[in-house]
Amino acid sequence: MTSKVDEALGYEQARDELIEVVRRLEAGGTTLEESLALWERGEELAKVCRRWLDGARARLDAALAEEEAAEEAGGE
């Protein structure tokens, strides 16, 4: 479940934190408990990024559909 803090994160903030989480996991040297906590945080950050990207895609699709509709209306 995503927290209110995560929902307030911008895409770039979530992406940068996710990069840091992955870096720490790849570097190793953490306990199993720390690794699990990092993995869980990474999953939440990935969800935040996905929501931003899905939202951006929806806005782009809507803008393209609106432009296409305007061109069709103008062409008749």
Side-chain angles (χ1 to χ4, degrees), residues 5-21 41 45-53 56 59:
V5 173
D6 288 344
E7 290 176 6
L9 282 177
Y11 172 78
E12 289 80 7
Q13 292 170 305
R15 181 203 58 211
D16 291 347
E17 187 179 341
L18 179 57
I19 289 169
E20 179 60 21
V21 165
R41 181 63 181 153
L45 291 165
K47 288 177 188 176
V48 171
C49 290
R50 173 57 54 199
R51 276 195 300 276
W52 275 105
L53 292 172
R59 287 173 59 191

Side-chain angles (χ1 to χ4, degrees), residues 22-52:
V22 170
R23 186 197 64 74
R24 288 182 61 196
L25 284 168
E26 288 178 341
T30 57
T31 65
L32 176 59
E33 190 63 34
E34 291 168 332
S35 294
L36 285 172
L38 285 168
W39 179 80
E40 289 170 343
R41 181 63 181 153
E43 287 292 318
E44 290 301 319
L45 291 165
K47 288 177 188 176
V48 171
C49 290
R50 173 57 54 199
R51 276 195 300 276
W52 275 105

